[in-house]
Amino acid sequence: MPKLLVTAFDDEFCDEVVKVLGSKGIHIHGGNRVVSIDGNSQVDSVSLENGSKIQADMVLVSIGAKPASDLARQPGLRIVENGSIWVDEYMRTNAEDVFAVGDCAVKRDFFTRKAAPVWLASTATAEARNAGTNIYGIRVLHQIQGTISAFSTQIGGVAFASTGMTCRACQKEGFRYVTATAVAPDRHPGMLPGASELKVKLVFADRSGIILGGQVSGGFSAGELINMIALAIQKKVTVRELDMLQIATHPLLTSAPTVHPVINAAHQALAKLRAVGRELPPVKKAA
Ligand SMILES: Cc1cc2nc3c(=O)[nH]c(=O)nc-3n(C[C@H](O)[C@H](O)[C@H](O)COP(=O)(O)OP(=O)(O)OC[C@H]3O[C@@H](n4cnc5c(N)ncnc54)[C@H](O)[C@@H]3O)c2cc1C
């Protein structure tokens, strides 16, 4: 891969990860395949495609995974992309009374319905709740309409989180989009002890203004901020609804209401949409 975390983040966030790691003395050799792990009785170096060698005492290999689905294949469960077990929207396999959830069950992307190898405990448990609720008969309809790849992590004391489509994914899949980024301290005023900067990037569909994705980095509140964005994606919230969002703020707990980065990013995206004369649907009236 050319950069770290390219499936979850756009370039500026990937580059931030590299910068944080660099500040801890960790060097990233992106876009450069390992061609051999060298040594006699033990490893002494790793050779890269560009001809360079890295001295090594130990090598940790972490290059992905795939389901070990033989156990499911033998009794005739349908196996699809990447060895995943096929399931319907209620986590039912093709065999009567057999359900599959979690890493072994196929995931479909929320926007494209393509297979999406997003293997997370948060996804697995949502699927488990879906299967458990429907196990004695379908009681809850269409609750899991595909994965929105909600993901968070913490690298060198900085939180990184993402959900939905990145700009890179929009370009790859041919989605037209508008995006905006806002930065604000997560306390107010920002010089309060313990304040960190929060960066929020939002991606919207350029005609409907429906939110497609979000990326957040900075303080640890990014971990819950992304969950708010994840809910907005699942509920197909528009840029205008986010611009008018009602929120709670407190100096010791959140960004200032005047500069809240989710609202500000939406506000900027709305301004961009207005500038190019896109018509957005009016804000939905409360039921
Ligand atoms: C290092 C690491 C960090 C992670 N961090 C996060 C995170 O921060 N957030 C997040 O959401 N997700 C995270 N994940 C992903 C998360 O752990 C998985 O998505 C989740 O555990 C999947 O749940 P599961 O029940 O499908 O599979 P598993 O948790 O793998 O459970 C499968 C179980 O089946 C058992 N089993 C396998 N074969 C057999 C057999 N033949 N007979 C009986 N038992 C069998 C296994 O022993 C295992 O206990 C992380 C994963 C790793 C590896």
Side-chain angles (χ1 to χ4, degrees):
M1 293 285 200
K3 291 174 188 278
L4 294 180
L5 297 173
V6 283
T7 53
F9 294 100
D10 285 320
D11 283 356
E12 64 273 32
F13 288 83
C14 299
D15 292 343
E16 206 181 321
V17 170
V18 172
K19 206 167 138 197
V20 172
L21 290 173
S23 73
K24 308 282 177 195
I26 298 167
H27 305 289
I28 306 300
H29 302 261
N32 206 346
R33 280 162 58 93
V34 170
V35 289
S36 63
I37 296 173
D38 311 316
N40 289 320
S41 56
Q42 65 178 60
V43 61
D44 60 36
S45 64
V46 174
S47 299
L48 303 183
E49 201 171 39
N50 67 356
S52 62
K53 260 183 189 294
I54 302 170
Q55 299 306 308
D57 299 319
M58 184 166 71
V59 176
L60 175 66
V61 181
S62 178
I63 52 171
K66 63 180 200 177
S69 38
D70 282 350
L71 188 67
R73 199 186 300 268
Q74 283 158 18
L77 296 197
R78 189 173 156 211
I79 305 296
V80 288
E81 293 94 334
N82 304 318
S84 303
I85 300 170
W86 177 87
V87 286
D88 68 9
E89 267 195 48
Y90 308 100
M91 315 316 297
R92 295 181 295 190
T93 67
N94 60 310
E96 199 179 342
D97 295 335
V98 179
F99 291 67
V101 303
D103 288 358
C104 67
V106 70
K107 313 273 172 279
R108 301 257 166 229
D109 182 80
F110 184 79
F111 294 102
T112 64
R113 305 296 300 157
K114 288 183 178 169
V118 177
W119 296 341
L120 292 167
S122 43
T123 310
T125 47
E127 291 175 349
R129 293 193 295 275
N130 184 9
T133 303
N134 292 313
I135 206 159
Y136 294 118
I138 305 302
R139 293 196 293 185
V140 179
L141 301 183
H142 304 305
Q143 277 310 292
I144 298 186
Q145 295 169 30
T147 175
I148 55 163
S149 311
F151 161 83
S152 55
T153 189
Q154 196 255 81
I155 297 169
V158 183
F160 291 87
S162 78
T163 181
M165 296 188 90
T166 58
C167 294
R168 186 186 284 108
C170 286
Q171 286 156 18
K172 184 166 168 263
E173 296 294 342
F175 281 51
R176 292 170 56 163
Y177 66 93
V178 64
T179 181
T181 300
V183 178
D186 59 3
R187 305 274 185 280
H188 56 287
M191 79 277 276
L192 278 176
S196 308
E197 202 164 74
L198 269 179
K199 177 164 79 180
V200 174
K201 176 176 185 176
L202 298 180
V203 182
F204 297 93
D206 91 330
R207 190 63 59 98
S208 63
I210 290 173
I211 187 164
L212 295 173
Q215 295 158 69
V216 186
S217 68
F220 291 171
S221 53
E224 289 301 347
L225 213 49
I226 205 69
N227 291 337
M228 167 182 159
I229 298 168
L231 179 63
I233 295 172
Q234 289 166 85
K235 300 310 290 179
K236 303 184 174 68
V237 166
T238 69
V239 61
R240 190 171 292 184
E241 287 169 321
L242 276 181
D243 184 41
M244 297 291 153
L245 190 67
Q246 298 187 49
I247 52 166
T249 59
H250 183 278
L252 295 176
L253 301 176
T254 67
S255 304
T258 44
V259 296
H260 194 281
V262 169
I263 296 173
N264 265 9
H267 192 74
Q268 288 175 41
L270 189 57
K272 285 186 189 175
L273 283 162
R274 280 210 191 98
V276 291
R278 298 274 186 250
E279 283 181 18
L280 289 173
V283 178
K284 279 185 221 143
K285 284 191 180 153

